[in-house]
Amino acid sequence: MSAPTSRLENLPFDAVHAGLALLVLSVVFLVSPLFVQPPGGSFVFFEVGVLFFLYAMILVGLNLQFGHAGLVNFGPVAFFAVGGYAAAILTANDPYQAVGLGFPWPVGVVAAVLAAAALGVLIGVSTLRLRDDFLAIVTLAVAEIVHGLIIAFRDVTGGTVGLTSVPRPIAGTTDVGGGAALVSTILVFAALALFFYGVFRRLSSSPYGRVLRAIRADDQVTETLGKRVFRYKIAVFVYGAAIAGLAGALLVFYNGAAAEGFFTIDVTVIVWVGMLIGGAGNDRGVIGGLAIIMGFQLVTRFFNDAIPFITQDQFASIRLMFVGLLLMLIIRYRPEGLWGDADRLGVES
Amino acid sequence: MEIPLAQEIIFGLVIGSYIALGAIGFTLVYGLVNMINFAHGEFITVGAFVGYLAVVFGGLSIPVAVVVALVITAIVGWVIARVTFEPMNEAGAVPLLLMSIGLGLVLRNGFRVIAGADRRSLPRDVTTYRFDDWGFFVTSQQLFIIGVTLVAVVVLHVFLSRTMLGIAMRATSDNEDLALVSGIDTRRIRNAVWLAASGLAGVAGVMLAVSQSANPTVGFGQLLLIITAAILGGAGSPYGAIVGSYLLGIGITVSVAFLPSGLSELNATMAFVVLIVVLLVRPGGLVNAEVRTS
């Protein structure tokens, strides 16, 4: 570990405190008449940034599940979607085609977390005894089922049209227009992401996290040591589900709408690839990995206009090809990721 | 209009047929290479495009195109597997799974860059045979799909039960270490498996190009159904995969009659529910395979 990072370790406050402080600051900023109007060309940075913080929240849960406890959850987007739709259905006012109950937004947030956690319990209890690769398939199938249900039950969810008229609590407080709401949103989301990053990091660096890593290494031995392995697995699964659900609620409150297009398998792929680039199990590393893959998404947006003879569709495909190629190269040549620990992960590099 | 049960069963047999062609290969790879290959759907797509090119630009008849697609897809799939999966043979189930997801992304989007999202259909020359007394009709195209699958199944059965290579394959699938000490060249077996699985995927691809279209996601669209069928039949068992495929195919079409009309497009979703239920209630599928850890 290099000098600057170890100095970072020794700071008198950690990410939880920093997150809380930033949250307070951003709320103060929100209620104050102050606002920041970003230049028009920078909106794309903010939009990708907002997604980065939401995906980071999903990722800290996923990293606890896979990086620390070894649970191959291939459906984080399912919990993200359930959270998003739970929040949207409860809070939307008179949507075009769907159910909107018009409750205030905090009800939506709570419902999103509870709904996603409940799905986590349901899936966890029934599937966590399966072998790794079968768990991956089941969780992926769950994500597909959720997606299928969203499209099929159009009377409730709005189907492919989506569910509009969802309140936008953050944008609502800054009604000066332009990109001012975007700045406020990104501040709040960053604060929340930092806070939850800290909470999950505390969890993983405590004795609790050591039990999880023991489970990943050998769950039968851990069981013999008197740890209720299955209970730990369920708990970790539910924590990850709950935070993904919260992220889903934040997304619909940011967009003022829920649509099936926000919750496709691409979310799962991006979060997984970010985790693998950074090095599963390294809490800071995975965020770095996510920054790299999201940075790639951002930078390549500008390439689109620069390269002639390529349609937008083709460009999107080429981008996904690179994501796939990156995944293959990482798995093949650096399975521990950029910052991961090969010995601890038990992979051969 | 009410569709008679006999008709639903015919539709189910057709769907079951192309699921079976994919599921046999998928389950062979699972049993012998010990990996869940998420890129298997892309091998099918290769077959669909090869078949399309052979018919439209090569001027070949569809049966000949099936053979061409079988051979070319077998070689393409084998080469891809040599380059991507074989070097990390020992890495374990999850890294191989992730590798195949990456490969699937690259291939699927590669097809899209080259071919665009257009749906290309093969020229159709369809005769319909009506059996009004029994309340169903069947087209020559449907008979062709079911027939080709039956031929493939019979050839596979003869191969697995009568040839040395096939018997060695089954032995390796049962117990790789035991096969190795009995003098079976397991590397040769793995090569054969990749060729066979990709070849069958190629045939499945042409069937899909015939009945639907050749497009970049035609194979991927079948993947979860294929996985469901393979697990339903007991992962690793080719005969189980065949049974699982037809059960699933008929189950999908017949269930339409029982679902409320607005939810009929849910039948693919229902298949995944079936997958989860099977894994929970009878994780070994129809025959017994080991998928639980504790």
Side-chain angles (χ1 to χ4, degrees), chain A residues 74 126 129-134 136-138 140 144-145 152 154 314 317 320-321 324-325 327-328 331-332, chain B residues 30 36 38 84 87-88 93-95 97 101 103 106 109-110 112-113 224 227 265-266 272 279-280 291 293:
Chain A
F74 241 97
S126 47
R129 289 184 200 278
L130 293 171
R131 230 179 68 173
D132 287 351
D133 42 355
F134 285 87
I137 286 194
V138 169
L140 192 100
E144 288 302 310
I145 290 170
R154 67 177 72 81
Q314 281 175 320
S317 297
L320 278 170
M321 279 177 81
L325 199 61
L327 176 56
M328 291 171 76
I331 288 292
R332 174 81 179 85
Chain B
Y30 177 78
I36 288 175
F38 255 81
T84 55
M88 46 182 300
V94 174
L97 177 78
I101 288 175
L103 176 63
V106 171
N109 288 288
R112 197 172 279 156
V113 171
L224 277 171
I227 294 176
E265 68 251 54
L266 264 183
F272 310 142
L279 276 173
L280 297 180
V291 298
T293 51

Side-chain angles (χ1 to χ4, degrees), chain A residues 163-176:
Chain A
L163 204 165
T164 50
S165 319
V166 176
R168 305 178 67 186
I170 297 179
T173 55
T174 347
D175 45 10
V176 289

